[in-house]
Each structure stands twice: as C-alpha cells, then as structure tokens.
Amino acid sequence: MVCSHHCINEPGSFRCKCPTGYILSENLRTCKDIDECADLENETGTRCSHECVNDPGSFHCKCPDGFVLGADLRTCEDVNECVSGNYNGKQCSHTCVNIPGSFKCECPDGLILGDDQRRCEDINECSNISSVCSHICVNKLGSFHCKCPKGYFLGDDERTCEDVDECDDSPCSHKCVNEQGSFKCECPTGYILNDDRRTCEDIDECVDGNEIEACSHGCVNEQGSFPLHV
C-alpha cells in the first residue's frame, strides 16, 4: 500500500493526500486523525462552548443536562424547562423559575416546597400556636385564622382575643360584674339571684325559715327589707 487514503500521481513521483479531518503523518504515507478538540492550531471554526468530542476525521460538540445544541452546532443554549412540554415529568405545582441549565420551583406565601422539590405543601401555622393566636388557631390551605371562645372577640391584630364586657348590654336586673370571658350578676341586701342567674328577687324575710326574729308581733315584707311592728 502506497497511501493509506488517496494517492496522487505526479510526473516522476507521487504524493499521498488525506481527507478532511486527517493529516499526513511523518512517513508521508499514512493519514492520522486530527484531534480538533485538542489541536487549537487547526482551523476548525468556532470552538465548542461546553464539551468537544473528537470523532474519526471530525468532531462534535456536546451539551450538559439542561442545555441544547444551537443551530451553529457549536453553542449550547439553555433549555427553558418552565415552557410547556419541557418538564419531562418534573412539573412544579405552582411557580416554575428557569435558571441556566435547570429550573426551580417556588411556592406562594403559606406554602412550602416538599421533599420532591416540585410540589408545594401547606404550612400548618397552627403548629406553633403560642406565636400565632392567643386562643384558637384554625389552619387552612395556604393560610390560617384565629378564633375566640365565647365571651371574647378578635382584636384589631386578628391574633389576640379580647374580653367582651357583657355588662355594657345591662344583662342583670341590678348589678353586673364583668369577668374574663364571662360575667356575673349580684344582688343588693334583701334580694337573692333567680335561677336565670340574672334577675334579683326579693327575699321574704317574714316567711318561716328565713330566721327573722326581729318582730315581736306582726311582720310585713317589703322589697328588699321589712318594717318592724312592735
């Protein structure tokens, strides 16, 4: 074999010629592959933006995950995974943010990214009730709200329950005493609180059993008291 590839006859001699991507070796007979990825002296056009892979007689450019080879077959361009059809089964449940070579998922307030880094899960704000609501915390998807027990109302901060002063509505027939979350009615001397716990009824001091011994003869009951008839 005179030449490994192409032999060109010349007057009184010959010479060997190599195809594109090869160079003639020192013996001037054998063509050897040009490593375009390593030999920067060879005119191979624009280099690869990321990874160069040498092939026999040529080379090709390769891109890392999250990139795709551009029309010039040299430059790697970012794949926008957030565009419909580019997810490959890794969709975000809420917001997708494209980043070079990849993407990330984000969640709105009240939600947190799950272990799969794709799905947003509800944050149970009520798990730390001491710092959220003063009394009752009700968790809901993406948020929460505070509630108050009977006798309280939710303050302007929507977190703290404040006592309702039930005495403002005059629920008692005589004296109203406000208490935290409730109230109680009290009666003056000579009256007793009814079963409704709101109305004061007169005590009939003249009835047997009420231990009235102040009258020697007749006893006349009056509202809240009685006169003495000697």
Side-chain angles (χ1 to χ4, degrees):
M1 180 180 69
V2 178
C3 298
S4 64
H5 286 73
H6 303 296
C7 180
I8 299 175
N9 185 55
E10 294 182 342
S13 184
F14 72 95
R15 64 184 175 88
C16 297
K17 185 179 179 181
C18 298
T20 302
Y22 291 83
I23 190 173
L24 206 58
S25 63
E26 290 80 0
N27 63 15
L28 302 179
R29 299 282 192 276
T30 307
C31 294
K32 62 180 181 179
D33 176 51
I34 297 173
D35 186 352
E36 293 88 352
C37 297
D39 191 356
L40 299 180
E41 296 298 320
N42 290 286
E43 297 180 0
T44 58
T46 305
R47 311 305 299 178
C48 297
S49 66
H50 286 71
E51 182 181 355
C52 180
V53 179
N54 186 59
D55 296 325
S58 185
F59 74 100
H60 71 273
C61 298
K62 187 178 179 181
C63 298
D65 291 340
F67 291 85
V68 64
L69 203 58
D72 62 359
L73 300 180
R74 300 287 188 272
T75 308
C76 293
E77 301 173 354
D78 176 50
V79 174
N80 187 351
E81 292 87 354
C82 296
V83 174
S84 178
N86 291 339
Y87 281 116
N88 296 322
K90 298 180 180 179
Q91 297 94 327
C92 298
S93 63
H94 286 72
T95 304
C96 178
V97 179
N98 186 60
I99 57 178
S102 187
F103 72 100
K104 64 179 181 178
C105 299
E106 293 184 348
C107 301
D109 291 341
L111 300 180
I112 190 172
L113 205 58
D115 293 337
D116 63 0
Q117 298 298 301
R118 300 292 183 266
R119 303 289 172 181
C120 293
E121 301 173 356
D122 178 49
I123 298 174
N124 186 357
E125 295 88 351
C126 298
S127 60
N128 188 14
I129 188 171
S130 61
S131 62
V132 179
C133 301
S134 65
H135 286 71
I136 302 170
C137 180
V138 179
N139 185 59
K140 58 184 181 180
L141 185 62
S143 185
F144 71 98
H145 69 270
C146 299
K147 289 179 64 177
C148 298
K150 186 178 179 180
Y152 292 85
F153 68 94
L154 201 59
D156 293 337
D157 63 0
E158 297 185 348
R159 301 284 192 276
T160 307
C161 293
E162 300 177 5
D163 177 50
V164 174
D165 189 349
E166 296 86 354
C167 295
D168 288 342
D169 296 330
S170 302
C172 302
S173 65
H174 285 70
K175 183 180 179 181
C176 178
V177 179
N178 185 58
E179 297 180 339
Q180 285 294 315
S182 185
F183 71 98
K184 67 178 181 179
C185 298
E186 292 184 351
C187 299
T189 303
Y191 290 84
I192 189 171
L193 200 59
N194 199 338
D195 291 340
D196 63 6
R197 312 306 298 169
R198 300 197 177 195
T199 308
C200 292
E201 293 183 349
D202 175 53
I203 297 174
D204 189 349
E205 293 88 353
C206 297
V207 173
D208 291 340
N210 287 340
E211 300 179 358
I212 299 301
E213 300 176 357
C215 299
S216 61
H217 290 73
C219 178
V220 178
N221 185 62
E222 294 182 350
Q223 289 293 315
S225 184
F226 67 94
L228 300 179
H229 293 270
V230 181

